[in-house]
Amino acid sequence: MKPLGISLQLTPWDVLHSLGRANVLARQGAGRGLAEHWASLKYCQALTGNDGRYMALSTEGRNPRRHYAATQSGELGIGFALALARRVISAQYPDHSVSVIDAEIAMRAGWTLTGKEAGRSSAPRRPGFFLEIWKPGEPSRVIPVTCKGTHGHAAQVHKQLATASADVEGIHIGAYNETPAFVFGTTLPKKSETITLHLLQAPGDGTLRDAKDLRLDPPVEDRSIAPGIDAPTDPHEEPPVGYHVRPEECGWFGRVLAQADAAGLMAFTGGGEPTARYLTKRQGKGHFETFTHAGTGIVQDVTHTIHGKKFVGTDHVFRLNGVRVEAFSGLAENLFDHLRDGRVEQYRHEAHALRDWDADPWDAKWRGPVSLHPDGTVMALRRLRLG
């Protein structure tokens, strides 16, 4: 693999923003009042600067309880990997937009993903996420991504990279063996050493060939796609286990990705019904349609102006060592209006045109750090003043 030749800068809140966007549809908990993406806030004090140049784990971050260390390394590994992946792809494709999409959510619209559902003892391996590289009027390119993390040494992350390679091999898009892939391994050493990301990249195409003039607004339908990968094998042999987006499915899959992306965006702003409209039954539509009590439900009822732009979303107030902190997550108001009303195509046209947001990680009027992503989302933190 050739060196990237790209200088990239990340902030801790950019990592938390990336992790929040990644987890927002995961449905790991039952209380939607504690939205999935707020779980990233537990790492607010886990990261610190290392000589002012590189990020490292803080004293608190280096001392998790033993049973919690794997969760911390796995989740922060996702945050770092996806933040870096989005930056790398955006630099390589400056005329395109990049979306990060939960692979399980997208794939559930077409395949059974567990052994129990498929009547097997186990299910084929699959990636954790898809990077969709898109531009209005052009077919998307799709890159499967798997992210791993460890508190151990490089030898441990090398083992993780080897097993993770099987995850991205579990799905082929278009022609056999022409799907690109990213595999990330993040080391979070418990001593003061710098956090390090390891990346394996498999070349390939991954273009959804028949999805150039695709209409993205109509609802997606669940399908039952035959399992197996179309590999050149002996006629009497069973096809390799896995998932294959065949050419005739590319248009449908392009719509699945766009609407799963829209669902994640609306969930990040605190929406229930607006999120459900972009999901199928198998993707968990009912989870977001279910009524929640006013004391525990989250709603899109907050607006803030960040860097002169109005955002609509939801907030969360919590305490850090006795200090009250407000977190806000939202979407630019004009983009929010499009997705609230089902206009995915219009959202993509405007988001793509406005993708170069003010990247200043501090807003003086907000009085705190902010992370703005090219998809129009923001995560902002600030200390609440008394009185």
Side-chain angles (χ1 to χ4, degrees):
M1 178 179 171
K2 295 181 179 179
L4 294 174
I6 302 171
S7 177
L8 301 173
Q9 292 184 337
L10 295 176
T11 63
W13 38 97
D14 189 15
V15 174
L16 300 187
H17 186 173
S18 298
L19 177 59
R21 283 281 286 115
N23 283 344
V24 74
L25 295 176
R27 295 165 51 196
Q28 298 177 41
R32 285 182 287 288
L34 296 175
E36 302 291 359
H37 63 288
W38 293 136
S40 66
L41 298 178
K42 62 179 174 281
Y43 300 116
C44 279
Q45 295 179 298
L47 301 172
T48 187
N50 184 347
D51 298 328
R53 297 177 60 198
Y54 302 105
M55 265 190 277
L57 290 178
S58 65
T59 300
E60 179 176 308
R62 292 196 302 270
N63 292 284
R65 291 182 179 273
R66 182 173 300 176
H67 68 274
Y68 183 65
T71 299
Q72 184 194 60
S73 61
E75 291 186 334
L76 283 179
I78 290 172
F80 275 104
L82 296 182
L84 177 63
R86 181 175 52 81
R87 299 287 188 90
V88 168
I89 293 299
S90 295
Q92 292 179 340
Y93 297 89
D95 295 332
H96 288 72
S97 293
V98 181
S99 294
V100 179
I101 299 160
D102 186 313
E104 178 177 346
I105 293 297
M107 293 174 66
R108 277 194 174 277
W111 296 271
T112 53
L113 300 183
T114 66
K116 181 179 180 180
E117 291 172 333
R120 300 185 299 261
S121 60
S122 62
R125 302 178 73 103
R126 62 181 183 273
F129 302 93
F130 292 121
L131 294 177
E132 184 191 4
I133 307 167
W134 57 270
K135 184 177 182 180
E138 295 184 4
S140 297
R141 296 187 68 188
V142 183
I143 303 178
V145 181
T146 291
C147 314
K148 299 291 184 180
T150 178
H151 285 289
H153 298 292
Q156 179 63 31
V157 81
H158 293 163
K159 292 180 181 178
Q160 290 185 335
L161 290 171
T163 57
S165 297
D167 295 342
V168 293
E169 279 289 332
I171 185 167
H172 289 247
I173 298 169
Y176 171 72
N177 210 29
E178 292 186 11
T179 305
F182 276 170
V183 175
F184 287 91
T186 303
T187 54
L188 303 164
K190 292 184 179 180
K191 296 183 179 180
S192 60
E193 290 92 344
T194 301
I195 294 170
T196 304
L197 269 72
H198 306 258
L199 166 62
L200 297 179
Q201 180 180 15
D205 186 11
T207 300
L208 299 176
R209 293 291 178 189
D210 299 328
K212 180 178 179 180
D213 299 316
L214 188 66
R215 294 190 60 200
L216 302 179
D217 293 348
V220 171
E221 72 281 2
D222 281 325
R223 294 189 178 184
S224 298
I225 301 176
I229 296 172
D230 293 346
T233 58
D234 186 280
H236 302 290
E237 293 179 355
E238 290 289 330
V241 295
Y243 312 95
H244 201 144
V245 182
R246 300 172 175 91
E248 62 271 20
E249 305 288 355
C250 282
W252 166 84
F253 195 62
R255 195 151 45 93
V256 167
L257 293 176
Q259 297 221 0
D261 185 32
L265 289 164
M266 295 310 282
F268 193 70
T269 66
E273 287 287 344
T275 302
R277 75 180 301 160
Y278 293 114
L279 298 172
T280 69
K281 180 179 179 180
R282 290 214 307 255
Q283 288 175 318
K285 186 183 191 76
H287 177 81
F288 292 93
E289 288 179 327
T290 303
F291 174 78
T292 54
H293 188 273
T296 60
I298 55 173
V299 292
Q300 299 150 320
D301 61 350
V302 180
T303 61
H304 285 295
T305 300
I306 307 292
H307 288 322
K309 185 78 173 177
K310 184 178 287 188
F311 291 82
V312 178
T314 187
D315 61 0
H316 180 54
V317 177
F318 60 103
R319 289 185 180 272
L320 279 178
N321 298 329
V323 177
R324 294 177 73 234
V325 178
E326 178 185 11
F328 170 70
S329 66
L331 182 66
E333 185 178 43
N334 59 315
L335 303 179
F336 171 86
D337 289 344
H338 290 316
L339 292 183
R340 178 198 59 200
D341 297 334
R343 299 189 296 268
V344 180
E345 293 179 31
Q346 191 64 29
Y347 159 79
R348 287 208 157 188
H349 274 86
E350 293 194 18
H352 180 73
L354 299 172
R355 66 189 182 281
D356 295 324
W357 296 90
D358 187 339
D360 191 337
W362 186 272
D363 187 322
K365 291 185 177 180
W366 165 259
R367 306 188 313 277
V370 299
S371 169
L372 282 166
H373 283 188
D375 59 8
T377 59
V378 64
M379 177 176 277
L381 303 170
R382 66 179 173 185
R383 179 175 179 171
L384 285 178
R385 294 178 178 177
L386 297 178

